[in-house]
Amino acid sequence: MSFLVEENPAKHRFEILVDDALAGFTAYIPRGEVGEVLVFTHTEVDERFQNMGVGSALIRGTLDQVRERGGRLVPKCPFVAAFIKRHPEYADLVVAEA
């Protein structure tokens, strides 16, 4: 099984493809200049792909991309917040909502 996480800026979300099928997404609201801060509001994984690590792979891939481009985030989505709590190496990406 191969995972691919990519941003879909038109829909304001990061999507995960599993073997070329859309398996889930995490939605955000951009804040600041050029998406400097992303407020993550909702994460969904298709029921066919639940309990397979797809959600965690989605969030890990998303956070890695946010970090690569120097962005920050507000984890309003409970799934994103819980992932960051379990993986404190991503805590430096979190900012308080203004």
Side-chain angles (χ1 to χ4, degrees):
M1 186 173 357
S2 68
F3 296 143
L4 172 66
V5 176
E6 54 189 13
E7 186 174 10
N8 183 337
K11 291 188 175 181
H12 295 282
R13 66 189 198 178
F14 285 82
E15 300 172 341
I16 187 165
L17 303 175
V18 176
D19 298 331
D20 297 324
L22 179 62
F25 65 87
T26 185
Y28 63 82
I29 300 167
R31 294 270 189 263
E33 293 296 313
V34 196
E36 173 187 319
V37 175
L38 302 179
V39 180
F40 283 90
T41 58
H42 180 71
T43 301
E44 241 177 74
V45 174
D46 186 291
E47 62 185 33
R48 295 173 299 150
F49 296 100
Q50 290 181 0
N51 302 313
M52 298 168 59
V54 171
S56 292
L58 167 61
I59 302 307
R60 183 179 307 280
T62 296
L63 297 178
D64 287 344
Q65 290 181 46
V66 169
R67 172 170 281 146
E68 282 171 21
R69 66 186 193 206
R72 305 292 289 268
L73 65 104
V74 178
K76 284 204 160 185
C77 167
F79 190 83
V80 174
F83 182 91
I84 292 170
K85 190 171 185 179
R86 284 193 317 272
H87 300 276
E89 65 270 23
Y90 293 108
D92 62 311
L93 298 175
V94 175
V95 294
E97 188 163 22

